[in-house]
Amino acid sequence: MDADRLQQPFGLPPGPPRPPEARRRRVTFGAGNHAIWAQRFLAHREGGRQLAPRNGSMGYGIPAAVAAAIGHPGRQVVSVAGDGCFLMNGQELATAMAVGAAPLVLVLNNSAFGTIRQHQEQACPGRVSGTALSNPDFAVYARAFGAHGETVTETDEFVPALERALASGRAALIELRVTEGRLAPGVTVDSLRERSVTHG
């Protein structure tokens, strides 16, 4: 089995060879559907590269990223966070800025506690309770701490935003505004409702 092919989304051919620095990066995330993006699309060929909870702890990813960036200042640390997960401990950007740590935080903003919403839609389609979020502007929030902050709303905006974030030399956050109703790769509110009608 081709390990490079497994990391590609939707069976696309592998991209260019990974640069050596990719082997040195650390990836963190907390609990939630957002973690699927990191688990599915970021391959690790060596141990100790992924820091994540085993017990469903929301909010783990940001403090883990800050700690990893402090402990390994020469390595790129990336935290993939859902909006709900980020809101648990996002204030740890203050610690990163205070000590000069430079993690990169990707916040997938779908304005919901996505995992809980998915369970609600699977068990009781259309009966939603307590999962909608009224989020701040995450890029402005990051800049309030002195970190680099940007918002991406279209796919083609991501690479330039990433390049600017990495070039900033400090803690950085990129808010990724996810298509409304998107809960995970290949999972939307509509797809869950259609499935419940078909199989319900």
Side-chain angles (χ1 to χ4, degrees):
M1 216 175 258
D2 184 353
D4 283 332
R5 192 163 186 74
L6 290 177
Q7 72 175 340
Q8 300 303 317
F10 312 111
L12 296 175
R18 293 172 358 126
E21 61 270 15
R23 293 177 52 196
R24 295 170 43 84
R25 85 173 163 233
R26 299 291 186 264
V27 177
T28 75
F29 48 86
N33 283 0
H34 67 276
I36 297 169
W37 298 97
Q39 293 166 342
R40 183 174 290 178
F41 301 123
L42 298 175
H44 305 283
R45 292 184 177 83
E46 299 171 18
R49 303 296 185 261
Q50 174 179 291
L51 303 172
R54 291 178 51 130
N55 59 351
S57 301
M58 288 183 73
Y60 173 87
I62 304 306
V66 173
I70 291 169
H72 302 282
R75 297 184 179 184
Q76 180 60 59
V77 177
V78 178
S79 185
V80 180
D83 47 352
C85 199
F86 179 82
L87 288 171
M88 302 285 173
N89 285 314
Q91 76 280 358
E92 291 302 328
L93 286 175
T95 303
M97 294 304 297
V99 300
L104 169 64
V105 179
L106 304 176
V107 177
L108 285 80
N109 179 2
N110 64 357
S111 298
F113 288 116
T115 303
I116 300 165
R117 174 73 184 268
Q118 182 172 344
H119 290 302
Q120 288 176 343
E121 292 291 350
Q122 289 170 326
C124 303
R127 293 183 58 199
V128 179
S129 177
T131 55
L133 294 173
S134 294
N135 287 325
D137 182 321
F138 290 108
V140 170
Y141 181 81
R143 291 195 298 269
F145 290 105
H148 179 88
E150 295 199 36
T151 300
V152 168
T153 59
E154 300 291 333
T155 302
D156 60 358
E157 297 170 353
F158 178 73
V159 171
L162 177 63
E163 290 170 348
R164 289 188 296 270
L166 293 174
S168 74
R170 62 188 194 270
L173 180 148
I174 302 174
E175 176 184 355
L176 306 171
R177 293 201 179 147
V178 179
T179 305
E180 185 176 346
R182 169 81 49 203
L183 299 176
V187 180
T188 64
V189 170
D190 289 341
S191 71
L192 290 172
R193 289 182 181 175
E194 287 171 17
R195 191 174 308 144
S196 72
V197 169
T198 306
H199 297 92

